[in-house]
């Protein structure tokens, strides 16, 4: 997580929007995996926040495949959250 958070400080949303969004999705996936073993609700909410951040760039109009993938990540995290 720390490495990805450092990467986000380098790959800003303004200068590297696609990289930024990909990193946000990776952060979300890691938080989802961590949630399986500890702080379930807190980590799933962090996962959802990261994926929502990715959707700032990955819109259905500009990046439909990435948008759909990110929506899938959100659905998986929500599934775990409300299980």
């Amino acid at each position: 997580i720390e490495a990805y958070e450092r990467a986000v400080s380098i790959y800003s949303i303004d200068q590297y929007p696609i990289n930024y969004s990909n990193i946000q999705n990776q952060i979300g996936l890691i938080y989802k995996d961590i949630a399986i073993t500890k702080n379930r609700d807190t980590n799933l909410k962090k996962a959802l926040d990261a994926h929502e951040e990715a959707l700032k760039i990955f819109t259905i109009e500009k990046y439909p495949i990435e948008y759909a993938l990110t929506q899938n990540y959100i659905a998986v995290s929500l599934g775990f959250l409300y299980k």
Side-chain angles (χ1 to χ4, degrees), residues 14-41:
D14 295 327
Q15 292 184 326
Y16 304 97
I18 294 171
N19 291 347
Y20 175 86
S21 293
N22 282 325
I23 293 166
Q24 289 295 335
N25 272 335
Q26 290 302 314
I27 289 170
L29 292 172
I30 292 168
Y31 274 121
K32 189 246 327 154
D33 288 344
I34 292 170
I36 293 169
T37 58
K38 68 180 190 177
N39 299 325
R40 183 177 162 270
D41 289 357

Side-chain angles (χ1 to χ4, degrees), residues 10-80:
I10 296 167
Y11 294 101
S12 70
I13 195 169
D14 295 327
Q15 292 184 326
Y16 304 97
I18 294 171
N19 291 347
Y20 175 86
S21 293
N22 282 325
I23 293 166
Q24 289 295 335
N25 272 335
Q26 290 302 314
I27 289 170
L29 292 172
I30 292 168
Y31 274 121
K32 189 246 327 154
D33 288 344
I34 292 170
I36 293 169
T37 58
K38 68 180 190 177
N39 299 325
R40 183 177 162 270
D41 289 357
T42 299
N43 284 316
L44 286 171
K45 287 176 184 166
K46 288 180 181 180
L48 290 166
D49 289 344
H51 295 311
E52 291 291 339
E53 185 69 18
L55 288 176
K56 288 181 178 178
I57 300 300
F58 290 158
T59 63
I60 195 168
E61 297 81 18
K62 286 188 174 183
Y63 301 100
I65 293 171
E66 291 82 0
Y67 174 85
L69 185 62
T70 304
Q71 289 292 349
N72 183 60
Y73 295 152
I74 290 170
V76 170
S77 291
L78 284 171
F80 281 116

